[in-house]
């Protein structure tokens, strides 16, 4: 009986979500009276996991797993779970983990629930709270199988340090040719820019910005805050910004610490996509814009005047506080 | 090529979400149901294959008789036939088992699902179908091409995109980008009339476990009123973000 997490890494370094996952898992393991084992794939230095309560690492090093492959990675996690006798397996909510989690669940004949936003409300029966209806509601889900797979929603728990003594074991799962039937041919990643997936802060623009030529305003504010840029659905539909920046119910969900919406009126679908963000700031010329009803802070006025001023103020603030 | 498009019957994205029966059930009162938007992108792509390369497109749904208008809409858009599995879709694993059975019987080459439905947002059915059948699987697809028995797929990854190839049979979880929004089909009168004559087969479910159940629903606690800051006093906003919200 153990609790297993898949600690995701990229180019050998753990992603921040791996530490959030460890923090969460530590607390769940305590309530179950067990320890936390992490399985890692081609991570170089695993010692960082000890800061967040991981007791044991199953370290997989394999060149065939240099690029992500859902079936093969699911096989790794399944075999790690079997080796450890894990009854609870927790994964994060990155695009890759969401991809492989159902395969892990089927492989282990486990009940799976995604979008989990809190610690189990009860461990017997096993009940967790999760986001549903595109963040317009929560759903308390009971998992009835012996083995349980949970997908933790991003930024729903945070980082909690908890030092542990870490033991490390090299682990060589057996992989077969069928694991590699999907062949990755090419990966294109945006470099030198904060992406929505990694961002703590997102600055988003809507139709109120009048045209793609005005996106410099959004980008400058984002640069000062180390933020990713995003947009509303009409903006991506009009082709002002790429689809990958569309935030909302049919686009990307965003669960950041700070979300700044500029010139976005706040359609119900957009709000659903950003509802899990902690602090929302809205800048809009229309005081009746529905977005003000869900915002924490608002400024009513012309974005073309307010945003450059705010960027300047934040620059000064950062200079004084860095 | 035999294509199966899995369709979820979900509340329209503008729906206000409410619960009934002691917050244990979704309140369908006054709610308009639609084809799950992620599935709609997949359906349009399937119709594109049908028109451009020749393919037979079947749509399928796990649900009660109330979901048939959604299947009829898919037929009006251009699907050749429809299947409804007569069961309440209470759990992702249960749904995946039902669909996997039909796929096994029907020998479909390509199974197109949305990456998640916009009601329960489980995001598990496409992967579970692939896992149950041992089929190749690619999630979060934003482009799909098929040439003979092999497919080339682009999927979205965090901060970019990835191109993969895989042989059929293949299950994909699709999303916006699979086709352009402007290319989504709206049923025309001819399509609606023809849809009435197309086959809609009702199958009884096979025995399968429910691994999870939705016990209760909650709505988020109402937010306190927005704090408005004057456009002439942005120092206050910076101060609030630093001292009160502690996000900068």
């Amino acid at each position: 009986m153990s609790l297993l997490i898949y600690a995701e890494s990229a180019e050998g370094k753990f992603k921040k979500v791996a530490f959030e996952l460890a923090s969460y898992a530590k607390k769940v393991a305590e309530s179950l009276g067990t320890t936390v084992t992490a399985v890692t794939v081609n991570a170089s230095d695993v010692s960082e996991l000890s800061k967040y309560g991981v007791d044991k690492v199953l370290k997989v090093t394999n060149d065939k797993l240099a690029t992500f492959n859902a079936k093969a990675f699911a096989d790794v996690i399944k075999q790690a779970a079997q080796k450890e006798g894990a009854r609870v397996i927790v994964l994060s909510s990155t695009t890759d983990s969401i991809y492989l989690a159902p395969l892990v669940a089927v492989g282990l004949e486990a009940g799976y629930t995604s979008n989990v936003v809190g610690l189990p409300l009860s461990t017997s029966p096993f009940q967790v709270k999760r986001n549903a209806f595109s963040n317009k509601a929560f759903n308390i889900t009971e998992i009835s199988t012996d083995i349980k797979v949970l997908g933790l929603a991003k930024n729903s728990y945070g980082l909690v340090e908890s030092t542990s003594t870490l033991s490390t074991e090299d682990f060589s799962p057996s992989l077969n040719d069928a694991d590699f039937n999907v062949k990755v041919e090419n990966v294109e990643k945006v470099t030198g820019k904060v992406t929505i997936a990694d961002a703590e802060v997102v600055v988003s623009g809507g139709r109120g910005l009048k045209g793609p030529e005005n996106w410099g305003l959004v980008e400058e504010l984002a640069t000062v805050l180390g933020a990713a840029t995003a947009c509303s659905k009409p903006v991506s539909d009009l082709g002002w910004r790429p689809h990958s920046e569309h935030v909302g119910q049919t686009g990307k969900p965003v669960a950041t610490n700070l979300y700044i919406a500029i010139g976005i009126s706040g359609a119900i679908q957009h709000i659903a996509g950003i509802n899990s963000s902690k602090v929302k700031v809205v800048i809009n010329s229309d005081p009746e814009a529905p977005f003000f009803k869900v915002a924490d802070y608002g400024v009513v006025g012309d974005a073309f005047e307010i945003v450059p001023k705010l960027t300047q103020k934040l620059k000064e603030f950062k200079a004084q506080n860095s | 090529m035999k294509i199966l498009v899995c369709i979820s019957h979900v509340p329209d994205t503008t729906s206000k979400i409410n619960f009934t029966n002691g917050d244990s059930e979704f309140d369908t009162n006054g709610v308009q149901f639609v084809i799950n938007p992620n599935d709609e992108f997949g359906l349009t792509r399937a119709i594109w294959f049908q028109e451009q390369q020749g393919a037979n497109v079947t749509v399928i749904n796990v649900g009660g008789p109330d979901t048939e208008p959604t299947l009829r809409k898919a037929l009006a858009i251009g699907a050749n036939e429809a299947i409804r599995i007569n069961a309440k879709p209470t759990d992702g694993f249960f749904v995946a088992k039902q669909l996997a059975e039909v796929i096994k019987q029907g020998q479909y080459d390509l199974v197109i699902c949305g990456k998640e439905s916009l009601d329960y947002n489980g995001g598990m059915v496409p992967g579970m179908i692939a896992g149950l059948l041992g089929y190749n699987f690619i999630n979060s697809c934003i482009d799909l091409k098929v040439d003979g028995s092999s497919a080339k797929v682009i999927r979205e990854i965090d901060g970019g995109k990835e191109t993969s190839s895989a042989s059929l049979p293949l299950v994909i979880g699709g999303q916006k980008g699979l086709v352009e929004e402007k290319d989504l089909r709206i049923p025309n009168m001819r399509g609606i009339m023809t849809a009435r004559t197309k086959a809609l087969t009702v199958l009884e479910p096979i025995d399968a476990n429910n691994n999870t159940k939705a016990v209760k629903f909650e709505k988020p606690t109402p937010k306190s009123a927005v704090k408005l800051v004057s456009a002439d006093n942005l120092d206050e906003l910076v101060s609030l973000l630093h001292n009160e919200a502690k996000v900068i």
Side-chain angles (χ1 to χ4, degrees), chain A residues 95 99 114-115 130 133-134 138 140 142 144 183 185-186 188 190 233 246 252 269 296-298, chain B residues 13 119-122 137 156 158-159 161 163 165 176 181 211 213 215-216 218 223 227 229 235 244:
Chain A
T95 307
Y99 185 1
S114 56
N115 296 326
R130 62 185 297 278
F133 293 96
S134 306
F138 300 109
I140 292 162
E142 187 172 310
S144 52
K183 291 184 177 55
E185 293 181 349
N186 182 36
E188 285 174 53
V190 182
K233 183 170 180 292
H246 162 204
K252 274 198 169 53
Q269 299 96 332
D296 298 279
Y297 305 109
Chain B
T13 57
D119 47 6
Y120 287 85
N121 308 103
F137 169 51
E156 195 170 88
D158 290 339
K161 55 188 180 179
T163 307
S165 63
K176 183 177 180 182
E181 185 122 354
N211 288 345
K213 72 173 174 195
V215 180
K216 197 173 185 289
E218 287 174 8
K223 278 198 74 77
K227 272 190 189 170
V229 174
D235 285 321
E244 188 177 82

Side-chain angles (χ1 to χ4, degrees), chain A residues 99-111:
Chain A
Y99 185 1
L100 61 81
L103 298 171
V104 172
V106 166
L108 291 168
E109 297 180 3

Side-chain angles (χ1 to χ4, degrees), chain A residues 1-175:
Chain A
M1 168 74 171
S2 173
L3 187 149
L4 183 78
I5 62 168
Y6 164 48
E8 248 188 83
S9 56
E11 287 156 16
K13 284 190 68 174
F14 287 114
K15 295 181 182 174
K16 194 182 151 202
V17 289
F19 303 132
E20 184 178 26
L21 203 59
S23 307
Y24 175 82
K26 174 71 180 169
K27 201 76 188 163
V28 178
E30 276 173 8
S31 66
L32 294 168
T34 187
T35 55
V36 179
T37 301
V39 57
T40 67
V41 178
N42 294 332
S44 38
D45 176 14
V46 299
S47 64
E48 271 182 297
L49 291 173
S50 69
K51 275 192 230 160
Y52 299 95
V54 173
D55 301 286
K56 181 178 173 184
V57 172
L58 294 179
K59 196 174 171 192
V60 178
T61 310
N62 187 333
D63 285 346
K64 286 173 94 175
L65 303 172
T67 50
F68 176 78
N69 179 307
K71 195 158 189 294
F73 277 54
D75 247 4
V76 169
I77 296 165
K78 178 185 149 186
Q79 289 174 45
Q82 284 167 337
K83 176 178 155 39
E84 292 295 297
R87 288 290 173 269
V88 178
I89 296 111
V90 196
L91 299 157
S92 63
S93 53
T94 61
T95 307
D96 288 351
S97 282
I98 287 171
Y99 185 1
L100 61 81
L103 298 171
V104 172
V106 166
L108 291 168
E109 297 180 3
Y112 162 52
T113 193
S114 56
N115 296 326
V116 172
V117 291
L119 292 166
L121 302 167
S122 143
T123 54
S124 182
F126 197 93
Q127 293 185 341
V128 284
K129 188 168 170 175
R130 62 185 297 278
N131 275 324
F133 293 96
S134 306
N135 301 322
K136 291 179 198 167
F138 300 109
N139 161 217
I140 292 162
T141 292
E142 187 172 310
I143 308 179
S144 52
T145 46
D146 186 22
I147 303 176
K148 294 141 183 91
V149 177
L150 308 181
L152 182 69
K154 193 185 163 203
N155 273 340
S156 60
Y157 191 73
L159 299 184
V160 182
E161 294 203 7
S162 165
T163 313
S164 59
T165 312
L166 191 71
S167 68
T168 305
E169 188 180 320
D170 287 329
F171 177 52
S172 304
S174 63
L175 299 170

Side-chain angles (χ1 to χ4, degrees), chain A residues 138, chain B residues 219-224:
Chain A
F138 300 109
Chain B
K219 297 214 343 182
T221 42
K223 278 198 74 77
S224 50

